[in-house]
Amino acid sequence: MAKHNEPTAEDIQAYYKRQETRYGNQSRLDGWMLDMYLQENLISAKAPDKAGTQVTRVKSGLAGLTVDQDTNVLSGRMRIHVTPRGGDEHAEKLEAFIGGSFNVMEEEDPVRDPVIQDLRIFGRCASLGPIPDPKLWGDDELQKLTEEMADTDDPDEFKEKDKAVTEFKRDNFPIVWQHIPADSFKPSFKRGRELAKCVWVKKMYRDDVEAEFGDVLDDKDKGDEIEVLEYVDQYWCKTVLNVSSPKGVRSWEHGMKVAGRRVVPVAFEEVDRLPANKLGWIWKGALFHVRGGLEAIDETLTDIRTNIREYTQSPIVVKHNAEARSQLEGWPVTAVVEKGGQLNLLIDEEVGRAGVPEMNPAAYNFLGLMKGFVDQVATNRPAL
């Protein structure tokens, strides 16, 4: 396939399958890091002593703290600056337009916050654009309005249609800036780390697919959720439904150039790249070097909680004088302790509490040790 030819839906589906294999191990690492942030990663726990005791995991929240403190520092207001080439007035207008444009582009689909979060969880981030999206102004409604405006000879009707066109354009900003989930972004490179092409996948509900793209699904494409592939190279932006027979539902030639050379209109940043390794891991996030420590803390806390749940109350023990009781008429041979009841004892009889299984004191020492390691590596950042 020549580089300037438009790839088919089958080409894009095949490329996505190759990229899935290429980044398979990295995807598993991404899933682990995301599960840790969401506190849904699997941990080991001691089996309970008593049948019927449910082991409930303790979630310390240290993974979230590690990531969130970084994202809070990196987040902030974006300021646009245009260096003037002559008068300052034009530069100030450009600054206002560019700043306002970014705010408009993020009204329905935030970019900066999820990008920063991806950067710390996955060690990389990506976004599409800003790039012109012709479909937003290539709409049947806008075409109808412009044709009616051109055909009318009535000045009042012309003003009315012109106002409607202006409002349509205002409500459908033709430049897009979109967050690309880093854990589904699968790039190809050239000239070192320059993007050559890329693909990412998202899932859409069947009803949403039909609302956006029309009646494009066959009866054999069953399921409530449909995989949607977004593909971008140096020439094309394409959307493909990843179904049994892949279907291209959107395509345009973006025309993005830098210094006269075609480029992929995707911003990609990597901050935590690992050295080459046999595990197939490429990028690490903020949790990578504390993943073992964080899981060990949650595991130990879970074991402590299970032990407390199993032995919440110490059993009551009564020291009897069996010989004396046997000689007293009307006295039971054994004393039974009932909740809220009265217990009569002889002079030399006693009531006490029996011991219960306790956690090894080393568990608490281990918690302190691991918390110190985790603080040193990730969570304790005095500079932040």
Side-chain angles (χ1 to χ4, degrees):
M1 181 179 68
K3 66 178 183 180
H4 61 277
N5 289 341
E6 180 177 3
T8 65
E10 288 75 14
D11 293 333
I12 293 171
Q13 187 183 59
Y15 173 63
Y16 172 67
K17 290 179 179 179
R18 294 196 302 272
Q19 294 295 85
E20 272 197 309
T21 302
R22 174 182 178 180
Y23 291 108
N25 290 342
Q26 179 63 47
S27 294
R28 284 184 280 276
L29 177 61
D30 291 340
W32 185 5
M33 297 299 101
L34 180 60
D35 285 346
M36 288 189 68
Y37 180 73
L38 298 175
Q39 300 184 101
E40 293 298 328
N41 56 306
L42 296 177
I43 63 170
S44 299
K46 175 184 174 296
D49 296 335
K50 300 178 181 179
T53 300
Q54 183 177 359
V55 177
T56 303
R57 176 184 174 173
V58 176
K59 302 177 180 181
S60 63
L62 292 174
L65 171 64
T66 303
V67 171
D68 290 348
Q69 68 180 358
D70 287 357
T71 58
N72 289 337
V73 171
L74 294 172
S75 300
R77 290 183 61 84
M78 180 172 63
R79 184 178 182 277
I80 305 297
H81 175 72
V82 176
T83 303
R85 296 184 177 181
D88 291 340
E89 182 180 355
H90 183 60
E92 291 175 357
K93 290 182 178 179
L94 274 177
E95 287 178 356
F97 170 76
I98 296 172
S101 297
F102 276 103
N103 289 332
V104 170
M105 288 185 287
E106 285 197 280
E107 281 182 348
E108 296 184 2
D109 186 14
V111 177
R112 281 171 285 186
D113 288 344
V115 157
I116 292 171
Q117 198 172 61
D118 281 358
L119 205 61
R120 299 315 299 133
I121 296 177
F122 304 116
R124 63 201 188 278
C125 62
S127 63
L128 174 66
I131 181 176
D133 190 348
K135 75 176 185 300
L136 295 175
W137 279 10
D139 189 89
D140 292 339
E141 181 181 349
L142 181 61
Q143 182 178 357
K144 181 174 180 292
L145 288 171
T146 53
E147 289 175 352
E148 290 174 350
M149 187 171 64
D151 292 341
T152 184
D153 294 326
D154 185 348
D156 293 335
E157 186 179 355
F158 181 87
K159 289 181 180 180
E160 182 182 339
K161 298 299 181 183
D162 183 54
K163 181 181 178 181
V165 169
T166 302
E167 291 176 350
F168 180 92
K169 291 182 176 180
R170 180 197 62 200
D171 296 337
N172 296 272
F173 194 66
I175 304 175
V176 296
W177 186 32
Q178 295 177 351
H179 165 243
I180 301 173
D183 55 337
S184 73
F185 180 68
K186 297 171 172 53
S188 297
F189 300 96
K190 66 175 184 176
R191 295 190 183 96
R193 303 302 289 173
E194 181 181 347
L195 287 176
K197 56 183 176 179
C198 55
V199 66
W200 64 97
V201 64
K202 61 183 181 182
K203 289 188 176 182
M204 295 179 64
Y205 286 105
R206 186 183 190 93
D207 292 340
D208 295 341
V209 170
E210 293 174 347
E212 183 165 351
F213 304 117
D215 188 14
V216 294
L217 295 171
D218 298 331
D219 292 337
K220 61 181 178 180
D221 300 323
K222 299 180 180 179
D224 293 332
E225 287 189 322
I226 304 296
E227 278 194 345
V228 180
L229 304 181
E230 298 286 357
Y231 169 87
V232 182
D233 62 20
Q234 295 171 272
Y235 293 84
W236 298 97
C237 292
K238 291 184 67 72
T239 302
V240 173
L241 303 184
N242 191 26
V243 291
S244 53
S245 298
K247 296 179 176 64
V249 292
R250 187 162 57 208
S251 174
W252 82 89
E253 190 172 3
H254 56 74
M256 184 67 72
K257 295 181 180 181
V258 172
R261 184 167 56 87
R262 291 272 192 167
V263 295
V264 177
V266 169
F268 175 67
E269 182 65 36
E270 50 187 352
V271 294
D272 286 321
R273 194 174 178 202
L274 291 164
N277 58 83
K278 63 181 181 181
L279 298 173
W281 295 347
I282 306 168
W283 299 282
K284 66 180 179 67
L287 303 176
F288 181 80
H289 291 301
V290 290
R291 62 194 188 280
L294 293 177
E295 291 184 343
I297 289 174
D298 283 3
E299 289 169 354
T300 306
L301 289 173
T302 300
D303 289 343
I304 293 173
R305 180 182 186 179
T306 302
N307 187 76
I308 294 172
R309 284 282 183 86
E310 285 195 295
Y311 304 102
T312 303
Q313 294 182 337
S314 302
I316 297 174
V317 177
V318 180
K319 180 182 177 182
H320 294 96
N321 186 336
E323 182 179 353
R325 281 178 174 269
S326 65
Q327 297 174 3
L328 295 174
E329 185 177 352
W331 279 71
V333 177
T334 59
V336 178
V337 181
E338 297 180 354
K339 186 175 181 180
Q342 179 177 328
L343 178 62
N344 297 318
L345 298 175
L346 298 177
I347 293 176
D348 58 347
E349 292 183 330
E350 297 177 359
V351 175
R353 292 278 185 177
V356 296
E358 296 181 358
M359 290 293 297
N360 188 330
Y364 300 96
N365 295 333
F366 177 75
L367 272 180
L369 183 67
M370 292 310 304
K371 183 62 168 61
F373 286 150
V374 169
D375 282 347
Q376 187 174 6
V377 175
T379 56
N380 188 13
R381 313 270 187 89
L384 299 182

